[in-house]
Amino acid sequence: SVYAIVAPFGCILGGFSIDAWGRKKVVLISIIILCLGWILIVCAQNGETIVIGRILEGLARNIEATSIT
């Protein structure tokens, strides 16, 4: 559910980022954020860390989805 809550923010952030930096840089930045989210999820010791990882993953996926379309 955290993924769905963060989705609109990622899309809006992606749109503004594309205008500022261009598609290629935004996709590269979103891949880095996505990897950080997955690292947090994999190394999680508690539930809060998993939720933070999912928030980062949701932001990155929606930024990237906005950049690609």
Side-chain angles (χ1 to χ4, degrees):
S1 66
V2 174
Y3 182 84
I5 293 170
V6 180
F9 299 108
C11 291
I12 293 169
L13 184 63
F16 288 125
S17 300
I18 291 169
D19 290 338
W21 301 312
R23 292 183 189 274
K24 185 177 180 180
K25 286 183 184 179
V26 171
V27 169
L28 292 174
I29 291 169
S30 69
I31 290 171
I32 293 169
I33 296 170
L34 181 71
C35 289
L36 290 173
W38 273 108
I39 289 170
L40 281 176
I41 292 170
V42 169
C43 298
Q45 299 271 329
N46 53 28
E48 291 85 14
T49 309
I50 293 174
V51 171
I52 293 170
R54 288 292 290 171
I55 289 171
L56 288 176
E57 181 196 1
L59 277 173
R61 285 185 187 262
N62 286 293
I63 290 170
E64 188 174 349
T66 305
S67 302
I68 293 173
T69 56

